[in-house]
Amino acid sequence: NSTVYVKGLYKEYPGKKGAVTAMKDVEINVLENDFVCIVGPSGCGKSTLLRMVAGLEEASGGRIVIEDNDIIGPGEDRGMVFQSYTLFPWMTVEENIKFGLKLKKMPEGEQEKIADKYLKTIKLEKFRNRYPGELSGGMKQRVAIARALANSPRVLLMDEPFSALDPQTKADMQLLMRQIWQEEKPTVLFVTHDIEEAVFLSNKIYVLTSRPGRVKREVPVLLPYHRE
Ligand code: ADP
Ligand code: ADP
């Protein structure tokens, strides 16, 4: 059963000499509990693809289906974590994590339980009353991940979430992300230009090429030796 199914996806942008094709005939299939990475060189359309799946940008053609429903704009069935921190600076860590739950008018006790659970997952229990401005980059991304997971989205969409971090923090975040996936099996669609990162994290990789036609390729993930 597909969680995200993309078929015949086409995107063009207006250019000086007519429309420019950003991608054509892209097909991806994300099954429930998959951790799928999209890799490819800079400019091949990875971000555009993810923004379209997020409903933040309109496709020029093709279909994007989330659990049998064609998407029409953004929705809370998709959690998002982007490269730049999108936390609300005037809310504490805990308030940020509870934000979506509050919107849904979830009873305060249940919000508390979910916040506790994800604060523990991201190992920031001691920082629950701090503000984003007081946190390091890695910590802010951990809060962004917790906030997205707290809403129990059908799929977590991540666009180069660790690219802006220093190498040590990045490695820590990759380890944490893999731990989260092994323990909770969220369905993840993750965009990165870092092939090592993709191999480390995912069970399925799609390569988006920048050649004319932008044809996708699905490639098997070769397990690194240190994988269990
Ligand atoms: P990636 O994330 O793989 O680096 P992008 O999705 O950012 O690639 O971009 C894919 C292609 O579409 C690039 O050639 C880029 O220049 C073009 N593009 C992206 N956004 C726009 C836009 N708003 N207007 C025109 N061209 C765009
Ligand atoms: P991360 O913990 O996300 O890898 P750093 O490597 O920058 O980020 O931080 C290492 C540790 O330093 C953190 O786990 C935390 O204990 C502490 N720390 C970082 N920023 C702050 C802060 N603003 N206030 C208190 N402690 C901090």
Side-chain angles (χ1 to χ4, degrees):
N1 42 338
S2 282
T3 296
V4 182
Y5 182 58
V6 171
K7 192 172 169 61
L9 192 66
Y10 176 68
K11 179 69 179 177
E12 60 178 28
Y13 286 110
K16 287 184 212 104
K17 293 181 264 173
V20 177
T21 301
M23 73 184 72
K24 194 174 135 184
D25 204 23
V26 168
E27 179 170 335
I28 59 173
N29 194 11
V30 181
L31 304 181
E32 198 177 345
N33 312 125
D34 262 350
F35 197 126
V36 170
C37 278
I38 311 273
V39 298
S42 180
C44 73
K46 302 184 295 297
S47 279
T48 303
L49 172 60
L50 207 73
R51 285 204 306 273
M52 289 192 286
V53 175
L56 298 173
E57 197 164 334
E58 218 173 327
S60 310
R63 286 183 75 192
I64 301 172
V65 179
I66 311 277
E67 301 240 330
D68 301 325
N69 299 308
D70 283 84
I71 65 147
I72 37 161
E76 62 186 25
D77 54 348
R78 284 149 286 159
M80 286 180 267
V81 180
F82 295 140
Q83 185 177 328
S84 53
Y85 321 116
T86 49
L87 301 176
F88 301 111
W90 61 87
M91 290 183 195
T92 64
V93 164
E94 182 173 356
E95 286 164 352
N96 266 283
I97 294 173
K98 286 178 173 173
F99 178 73
L101 309 176
K102 208 166 212 150
L103 277 187
K104 279 188 254 183
K105 298 195 167 37
M106 181 183 279
E108 184 61 41
E110 277 176 59
Q111 290 184 29
E112 198 72 25
K113 252 192 169 135
I114 293 173
D116 287 347
K117 175 182 166 184
Y118 287 105
L119 280 163
K120 189 160 173 241
T121 302
I122 59 167
K123 305 177 179 82
L124 286 182
E125 294 111 310
K126 289 186 193 139
F127 289 79
R128 65 190 309 149
N129 297 318
R130 301 294 196 92
Y131 288 87
E134 303 178 272
L135 306 180
S136 70
M139 293 161 96
K140 280 188 264 203
Q141 279 310 60
R142 273 144 59 188
V143 178
I145 292 167
R147 186 179 60 178
L149 288 173
N151 290 301
S152 344
R154 300 278 194 205
V155 59
L156 189 57
L157 305 176
M158 306 182 83
D159 189 358
E160 303 260 9
F162 311 143
S163 295
L165 303 173
D166 66 84
Q168 182 57 54
T169 306
K170 183 174 175 168
D172 293 345
M173 293 296 295
Q174 290 169 343
L175 215 53
L176 175 70
M177 200 59 222
R178 206 166 88 172
Q179 214 176 337
I180 290 172
W181 188 59
Q182 281 167 344
E183 281 163 18
E184 301 199 28
K185 282 281 178 311
T187 307
V188 184
L189 182 57
F190 190 107
V191 158
T192 179
H193 64 272
D194 181 344
I195 289 174
E196 258 188 284
E197 177 170 77
V199 170
F200 182 71
L201 290 174
S202 64
N203 69 315
K204 197 154 113 191
I205 295 177
Y206 286 93
V207 179
L208 208 55
T209 76
S210 49
R211 291 173 183 281
R214 317 258 184 197
V215 183
K216 56 82 190 112
R217 292 265 160 74
E218 184 185 328
V219 295
V221 178
L222 300 171
L223 300 184
Y225 71 92
H226 57 267
R227 199 165 231 183
E228 55 293 313

